[in-house]
Structures are given as structure tokens and as C-alpha cells.
Amino acid sequence: MILHELISYDVLRLIWWLILGVLLIGFAVSDGFDLGVGTLLPFVAKTDIERRVVINTIGPVWEGNQVWLILGGGAIFAAWPPLYAVSFSGFYLAMFAILFALILRPVGFKFRSKRDSAQWRNRWDWVLFIGGFVPSLIFGVAVGNVLQGVPFRFDSDLKIFYEGTFFGLLNPFALLCGLLSVAMLVMHGSSWLVVKTSGEIAERARRFGAMASLATLVLFALGGIWLWAGIEGYRITSAISAGAPSNPLNKEVVQEPGAWLTNYAAHPWMLIAPIVGLVGAAMAFVGFNGRRELTVFAASKLSIFGIISTVGLSMFPFILPSSIEPKASLTVWDASSSHLTLFIMLVVTVIFLPLILAYTAWVYKVLWGKVEEKAITDEDSHAY
């Protein structure tokens, strides 16, 4: 038996769907608080030294956290080529805006304190705000559009045609998802600041975090109601072979109201995901008001896990529906790389992902503790 046949094609596809989910959640949980802190920077810190303290809570870790985004993009490119082709071409301007905002972040860190000018530093603080807010918003808007379906189709040779516009992405439901994403990551950033700072900064972070967690709770619930009442989901009506070669056109798909909720009726255990999203946000709200530092950080991560898992479980097996040609929708069973490619990538992942996790855990252990003003103002400090 050939080695890669030890794991069947359909199982490998399912494993890579799970891995993609893990990478996206990993990015939201790790780099998510970096984005949230950037969004909060002009509001949670008033003086120059306070803003330097806030920046230095994420300064040593943001680069490592951003690796999860790179891993997610790499996984999409290698494991789901049609998904990569459609999303990175159809969402080109949105992706460019995200990358531009993310590029601003290291530039802001490096240049902010190069001049002893209040006006100069204030401008860079708003640059860092853009670097946090814009990706947070656009990531949510993208998810909102995915849930509604993206306007793409294939010809008979599987050549991809995208027929949408950038401003078409800015529809009401997608904007609600964008606001949910911002609220969720501001909640997470606030929880990080509560853990890593003290005094006035931590108190302001608690206030912003309480508001953000409440907004997360309300927006997530509202999004679920909207998805149930006003958004058409997608359902496969023909037989589909989970182990056949990838060809998105070998199926029939219909759009119908409430289709994104059918998985919960068929598999009630999936309801754990939205419940965890709501309970995590509620626990974070209670934790912010009760000044429970580690509890609120754990609750924030729990809410992120539940919210992102809800999207994946609601859509399964779809990974990118088509709004103009439903049968062209990409699913777990017909949009992956070959059997051998998925197997080789899985072997590489099994080897290197634990190393990344171990290194990340070690870094956080070394850097654990609160960032104090004294450490920032010390003459021998290497702080930003």
C-alpha cells in the first residue's frame, strides 16, 4: 500500500478543513489582541508614556502572532487552490487594504518615538489605530460576504470569473459582521491590556472591554437572528462523492432561507459553538466589571473560538458559496488539492506545528508580567 493511502482522501479533506479552522482561530486569538490594542491605543492611553506602555504590551509578540495569518494563507494556497484563487482575486482591493494596514503597524512601532514631538507621535498613534481597526473591520466584512455567497463562476474548463465589485462587499449584513469583528477584537485587546498593565490604563481598558464584550454579545445574537430570518443559505441537493477528484461543478446546489441552520438540526451538538460564543462574551463582561484579569482573558478567547467555529459549522461542507452560480460553490469535498499533496502537507504540519506552539508558549512565559512605566523610562530600556 502506498503510504498516503493510509488516510483516505475524504478524511484528509476533513482534516484540512479542521486545520484551516484551527489556523484562523489561532490568528484571531493571538494577533487578534494586537489588532484590538492598536484600535484602542488613542483612547485607552492619554499621555505619551501611557501610549508607550500600551505599545510595549504587544511590541515583543506581534510579529510571532502574525505568523498565524501567514500559515492560514499558506494553508489556503496549498490545500484549497480554488478558494485561494477566488478569494485573493475577488477580494483583491480588500486584501490590499488589509495588507497596507498591517504594513503600517511595524512602521508605526519603529518611527513613532524617533522624534520628540507630540504632534509627530500623535500622528503615528493614529496610524497604529488604522493598523488595528481596518483589518479587524475588513476581516468581518469578508466573513459576512462569504455567508451570503460571493459572485463568481466557472466556465467548462474551470476558469474562474469574479463578477463583483469592492463596494458591493459593503452591504448591511457584511457591515454588521464587520462591527462584530471589531467589537470582538477590541474586547480581546482590552482583556490583554487588563492582564499586562496597571493603574489608569487598566481601568480604561476595563471600561472599553465591558462595552466591547456587551457589543459582541448583542451583535453576535443579532447576526444569528438575521442569518435565520433574512439570509439565504446553500444546500447540496445532488449526490456528492467525498473522495472523488476535485471538480466544483459536479453537484447541484440550491439557495434557500434558513439553510445555514440545517446542520444544527441534524447535529444538535454543533449548538455548542454559538453557545460558547455567547457565554464567552457574557463571562468577559462579568469579568471586566469584576476585575478578574485571567478570567476575562480566557473568556475573551472562548468567545472568539465559539464565534468563528459557529461560522465554519453553519457552512459545512461549504467553504465559499457562489451567489451567481450556486453549483460552482466550493466545498470541502470538491475544492482541495490532490490526495498526495494533502498527505505530505499533513506530515509537515504534524512535525512543525507543535514546534511553533512550543516556541510561542516559551516566548509568552519569558515575557509574562505587567509592563510598567519604570521599565519604559529606564535609560537602558530597549522599549519602543
Side-chain angles (χ1 to χ4, degrees):
M1 178 182 292
I2 300 175
L3 187 60
H4 72 273
E5 292 181 352
L6 292 173
I7 306 177
S8 64
Y9 199 9
D10 56 333
V11 172
L12 277 172
R13 283 168 160 164
L14 183 59
I15 289 173
W16 272 101
W17 176 77
L18 291 170
I19 290 175
L20 180 59
V22 168
L23 294 176
L24 294 177
I25 292 171
F27 169 68
V29 167
S30 58
D31 203 39
F33 67 73
D34 296 334
L35 298 176
V37 169
T39 304
L40 285 166
L41 178 62
F43 313 104
V44 79
K46 302 300 182 181
T47 65
D48 178 66
I49 189 62
E50 286 183 346
R51 291 186 176 181
R52 289 185 63 197
V53 168
V54 170
I55 290 171
N56 279 278
T57 64
I58 59 173
V61 297
W62 73 268
E63 288 177 291
N65 293 338
Q66 200 163 280
V67 167
W68 289 95
L69 177 62
I70 299 170
L71 291 174
I76 293 173
F77 173 78
W80 312 99
L83 173 61
Y84 183 89
V86 174
S87 59
F88 280 74
S89 58
F91 295 161
Y92 180 79
L93 290 178
M95 293 289 184
F96 180 82
I98 290 173
L99 291 176
F100 178 74
L102 291 176
I103 289 170
L104 289 177
R105 182 164 55 175
V107 177
F109 287 154
K110 298 296 183 182
F111 281 87
R112 181 193 179 277
S113 296
K114 293 297 183 182
R115 290 177 59 182
D116 190 14
S117 164
Q119 189 177 45
W120 167 271
R121 295 184 176 189
N122 187 60
R123 287 173 179 171
W124 282 111
D125 291 337
W126 284 102
V127 167
L128 291 171
F129 164 80
I130 293 171
F133 176 79
V134 170
S136 301
L137 179 68
I138 295 180
F139 282 133
V141 168
V143 171
N145 279 281
V146 169
L147 284 166
Q148 296 173 93
V150 177
F152 72 92
R153 60 181 176 84
F154 292 98
D155 65 10
S156 58
D157 297 320
L158 295 183
K159 183 179 179 180
I160 299 170
F161 295 88
Y162 179 81
E163 300 184 3
T165 64
F166 173 77
F167 291 103
L169 301 175
L170 305 178
N171 55 79
F173 179 74
L175 290 174
L176 179 140
C177 292
L179 292 176
L180 170 59
S181 176
V182 171
M184 178 179 73
L185 298 183
V186 167
M187 171 185 67
H188 199 37
S190 298
S191 69
W192 178 252
L193 289 177
V194 167
V195 171
K196 294 291 290 183
T197 65
S198 57
E200 286 297 318
I201 299 175
E203 285 301 317
R204 296 190 197 107
R206 287 189 183 93
R207 291 196 293 270
F208 280 110
M211 291 187 288
S213 57
L214 185 59
T216 300
L217 185 66
V218 171
L219 290 171
F220 184 45
L222 182 60
I225 294 170
W226 197 338
L227 203 63
W228 167 69
I231 301 295
E232 288 190 336
Y234 294 74
R235 183 170 61 87
I236 299 173
T237 58
S238 61
I240 184 169
S241 175
S246 292
N247 185 344
L249 298 181
N250 287 341
K251 64 180 179 300
E252 296 297 327
V253 177
V254 296
Q255 290 179 264
E256 56 186 22
W260 286 147
L261 304 180
T262 56
N263 280 344
Y264 298 108
H267 309 284
W269 64 267
M270 291 185 178
L271 288 168
I272 295 172
I275 291 172
V276 166
L278 293 169
V279 170
M283 288 174 58
F285 178 75
V286 173
F288 279 119
N289 287 293
R291 290 174 166 76
R292 299 184 180 96
E293 294 181 0
L294 295 180
T295 298
V296 78
F297 191 52
S300 177
K301 290 190 287 187
L302 194 67
S303 181
I304 291 173
F305 173 81
I307 291 170
I308 297 178
S309 297
T310 297
V311 176
L313 292 174
S314 298
M315 292 180 57
F316 185 84
F318 291 91
I319 52 178
L320 189 65
S322 169
S323 59
I324 59 174
E325 189 180 8
K327 68 176 294 183
S329 300
L330 306 180
T331 75
V332 173
W333 313 125
D334 60 19
S336 72
S337 295
S338 69
H339 191 174
L340 179 60
T341 299
L342 295 183
F343 179 78
I344 293 173
M345 288 172 54
L346 180 60
V347 172
V348 173
T349 301
V350 168
I351 294 172
F352 287 101
L353 188 58
L355 295 177
I356 294 172
L357 291 171
Y359 174 75
T360 302
W362 177 78
V363 168
Y364 277 94
K365 180 181 178 181
V366 171
L367 297 174
W368 195 251
K370 293 186 180 293
V371 179
E372 303 289 352
E373 292 185 8
K374 182 180 178 181
I376 302 298
T377 56
D378 192 303
E379 291 183 3
D380 295 326
S381 174
H382 296 284
Y384 288 108

